[in-house]
Amino acid sequence: MFPAVIRSIWPASARLAIRQPLGHFRLHMDPDVSRPIERAIRTKLTDTLRPDHLEVHNESHMHAVPPGSESHFRVLVVSSQFEGLPLIQRHRLVNETLKDELKSYVHALAIQAKTPQQWATNPTLAKSPPCMGGSRGDNTVEEKQKAGRE
Amino acid sequence: MNSLIRATARCLRPGSAVYLTRQADTRMCLTPGQRFLCSATGIKKDLAEIVKKDKVVVFMKGDPSQPMCGFSNAVVQILRMHGVDDYASYNVLEDQRLRQGVKDFSNWPTIPQVYFNGEFVGGCDILLQMHQNGDLVEELEKLGIRSALVDTENKSK
């Protein structure tokens, strides 16, 4: 009787949420909820390349784009999947993984793609060069930002 | 190697580069005044010819005397450090069809893009790493271009 009562009061979705309280709670506490593109980049690179180490840096603030933009990124991916691959193939793997973001919101993507051994030898994040204002008044960047807002 | 990296860092800082007189034409093809093939096939055909016309071809934002993007500027500065001034550069900001066309042609989503002998090399990140690990000197040698840094390193020994 009681299980039936419970089922009638609480819909299945709520019961599921209670069974997985941490997952539901984590969603609201997710610091990336306001940075959806960064989150998508992180998720896709993690799922596809299974990196030993991953850094995703939003560098939009370094460029001539409005505050809060998610248009310019630097990623550092350390993955054994890069073993034996020349640089260009590694970068193509990353580009392919993020092709949807690159077609839509992301205007610039700086990539460091290292094997675990290379990372162990030289664990440094490269720095992006200073902006020279090319994004200012760039229709392509503005269109991507508009698409992001929508 | 450390001095090489420090020299690179100096060059990449704004205002610190010394621009040499360009010896090569910076050929801007596909400008509005010229006859232009509008179709995707046309652009592809044009690009297939363009990338083979010169040993070193750079698609960038701005031009070598006035880059409009930090990453494009980095490519220019790296080539300059190696004494490569005689190359073809194309300003994608002047033509949106070129800008998208080269991305489709190379299957590469960002600018700048560098070609050696008709073969796509990569963008700024790859060129910088090639410069740092010495591969760029080797690749230029394959093109018959002696890097200025070879002479610099020999003198310092």
Side-chain angles (χ1 to χ4, degrees):
Chain A
M1 177 194 161
F2 282 115
V5 168
I6 288 168
R7 273 198 297 274
S8 65
I9 294 170
W10 280 333
S13 58
R15 291 200 300 277
L16 194 63
I18 289 169
R19 276 204 203 104
Q20 297 176 340
L22 289 179
H24 184 68
F25 184 70
R26 190 175 297 123
L27 182 65
H28 289 292
M29 294 297 290
D30 191 336
D32 293 336
V33 69
S34 63
R35 300 193 293 268
I37 309 305
E38 181 178 327
R39 193 173 165 193
I41 290 173
R42 199 181 298 277
T43 302
K44 287 187 180 184
L45 289 175
T46 301
D47 290 349
T48 305
L49 296 173
R50 299 287 178 199
D52 292 6
H53 181 72
L54 172 66
E55 294 183 33
V56 178
H57 298 273
N58 182 351
E59 296 191 331
S60 306
H61 62 280
M62 294 166 55
H63 297 271
V65 292
S69 293
E70 288 197 284
S71 53
H72 297 67
F73 284 89
R74 169 170 289 279
V75 299
L76 164 65
V77 189
V78 180
S79 170
S80 54
Q81 291 190 27
F82 295 141
E83 303 273 0
L85 293 184
L87 277 179
I88 191 167
Q89 294 307 326
R90 299 181 190 189
H91 285 224
R92 285 201 186 278
L93 261 183
V94 173
N95 288 339
E96 182 63 25
T97 303
L98 302 177
K99 64 180 176 189
D100 292 339
E101 285 70 30
L102 285 160
K103 271 187 196 162
S104 52
Y105 313 110
V106 176
H107 173 74
L109 182 68
I111 300 171
Q112 271 179 278
K114 297 194 172 199
T115 62
Q117 187 185 11
Q118 287 172 330
W119 177 244
T121 309
N122 184 16
T124 53
L125 177 74
K127 281 188 181 168
S128 289
C131 174
M132 298 185 80
S135 295
R136 194 174 292 118
D138 186 337
N139 288 339
T140 304
V141 181
E142 287 170 6
E143 280 164 16
K144 284 186 170 180
Q145 287 169 345
K146 192 176 163 196
R149 285 193 294 274
E150 288 164 1
Chain B
M1 181 57 78
N2 283 336
S3 61
L4 205 65
I5 293 170
R6 280 198 292 275
T8 308
R10 274 199 298 276
C11 277
L12 296 180
R13 282 200 290 271
S16 63
V18 175
Y19 291 107
L20 301 174
T21 305
R22 284 183 301 139
Q23 295 165 10
D25 282 332
T26 300
R27 274 153 283 185
M28 306 287 184
C29 81
L30 310 178
T31 54
Q34 292 182 350
R35 218 173 120 202
F36 180 74
L37 295 169
C38 299
S39 68
T41 314
I43 263 278
K44 208 169 170 182
K45 192 178 161 201
D46 284 343
L47 286 166
E49 289 170 9
I50 285 166
V51 300
K52 287 176 188 161
K53 263 171 37 176
D54 295 274
K55 285 183 184 178
V56 178
V57 177
V58 177
F59 297 92
M60 60 180 287
K61 293 181 183 177
D63 63 73
S65 66
Q66 195 172 8
M68 294 297 293
C69 153
F71 299 104
S72 293
N73 181 49
V75 166
V76 168
Q77 298 306 323
I78 290 168
L79 290 175
R80 185 162 289 156
M81 282 181 70
H82 287 263
V84 182
D85 292 307
D86 186 10
Y87 60 93
S89 73
Y90 297 91
N91 181 359
V92 302
L93 295 178
E94 290 193 340
D95 190 327
Q96 286 300 318
R97 284 167 296 188
L98 171 64
R99 186 174 182 173
Q100 187 55 47
V102 73
K103 289 177 183 178
D104 295 337
F105 180 77
S106 309
N107 189 24
W108 192 264
T110 52
I111 302 292
Q113 296 188 11
V114 180
Y115 278 79
F116 286 171
N117 256 0
E119 194 177 319
F120 180 61
V121 171
C124 167
D125 297 326
I126 289 179
L127 203 73
L128 180 60
Q129 288 180 69
M130 287 172 67
H131 162 69
Q132 289 170 338
N133 66 21
D135 286 351
L136 185 53
V137 169
E138 275 182 39
E139 291 302 316
L140 289 173
E141 201 168 318
K142 288 178 193 172
L143 300 177
I145 299 172
R146 184 176 172 82
S147 167
L149 292 181
V150 171
D151 298 322
T152 308
E153 290 232 348
N154 284 340
K155 275 181 192 167
S156 64
K157 281 180 187 167

